Amino acid sequence: MERWHDWQSRLTDYLLAAGRQQIEPGRFDCMLFAAGAVRVMTGTDLAADFRGRYTTLAGGLRILKRRGYADHVALIDDLLGERVGWMALRSGDIAAVPGYDGTPAIGVVTGDLIRCLAADGGVGPVALDAALYGWRIG
């Protein structure tokens, strides 16, 4: 999966638009947020089989388990391959950070920050060194 030549401006536009949205499982949650970033940078829609098919996070997890994945991180491992440490991540890569409920939340790396969905809406920054691990895009 290769990034388009103008991936940076596409990602910036996407993040600005995402900042105006509220979390809605199955339509706009951390997995779909990260998949949306990958789609605007590469044209590859990693979430095509999942978007709009659940309305709660528990429902999303049930779908993942029926497809053989323990959780959303296992799906990302399958789709994006080998995990890397936070020091190997660059802008546009995907990162996992500690989530508010104990499960990893997924965000998008932008320089020395990770952009993650905020529980009260919008997109908030998390320090890059807070990443548990991540995945390289292109």
Side-chain angles (χ1 to χ4, degrees), residues 23 28-35 54 57 72 104-107 116-117:
I23 294 174
F28 190 69
D29 52 44
C30 72
M31 274 295 302
L32 298 177
F33 167 64
Y54 57 96
L57 296 180
H72 61 299
I106 308 301
C116 297
L117 297 186

Side-chain angles (χ1 to χ4, degrees), residues 1 31 38 44 46 69 72-85 89 93-96 106 133-138:
M1 169 174 27
M31 274 295 302
V38 171
T44 301
L46 301 174
Y69 298 105
H72 61 299
V73 173
L75 172 65
I76 298 171
D77 284 339
D78 188 39
L79 294 172
L80 296 180
E82 182 179 345
R83 295 179 191 180
V84 298
L89 295 171
D93 290 339
I94 303 302
I106 308 301
Y133 41 81
W135 300 266
R136 300 294 311 273
I137 304 298

Side-chain angles (χ1 to χ4, degrees), residues 56-67:
T56 66
L57 296 180
L61 184 58
R62 280 192 299 277
I63 291 170
L64 290 172
K65 288 188 176 192
R66 275 189 295 230
R67 294 185 183 203

Side-chain angles (χ1 to χ4, degrees), residues 5-135:
H5 73 282
D6 60 345
W7 70 268
Q8 291 167 314
S9 62
R10 289 172 177 263
L11 180 60
T12 298
D13 292 345
Y14 174 75
L15 294 173
L16 288 171
R20 295 185 294 271
Q21 295 189 43
Q22 295 292 316
I23 294 174
E24 183 181 350
R27 301 232 180 266
F28 190 69
D29 52 44
C30 72
M31 274 295 302
L32 298 177
F33 167 64
V38 171
R39 182 172 58 182
V40 301
M41 291 186 296
T42 69
T44 301
D45 188 358
L46 301 174
D49 291 344
F50 301 94
R51 192 175 294 102
R53 295 190 177 219
Y54 57 96
T55 57
T56 66
L57 296 180
L61 184 58
R62 280 192 299 277
I63 291 170
L64 290 172
K65 288 188 176 192
R66 275 189 295 230
R67 294 185 183 203
Y69 298 105
D71 58 21
H72 61 299
V73 173
L75 172 65
I76 298 171
D77 284 339
D78 188 39
L79 294 172
L80 296 180
E82 182 179 345
R83 295 179 191 180
V84 298
W86 70 268
M87 291 182 71
L89 295 171
R90 299 182 308 210
S91 288
D93 290 339
I94 303 302
V97 300
Y100 68 90
D101 64 354
T103 61
I106 308 301
V108 181
V109 177
T110 58
D112 60 352
L113 297 173
I114 303 166
R115 303 297 172 167
C116 297
L117 297 186
D120 58 352
V123 177
V126 175
L128 181 59
D129 63 1
L132 302 168
Y133 41 81
W135 300 266

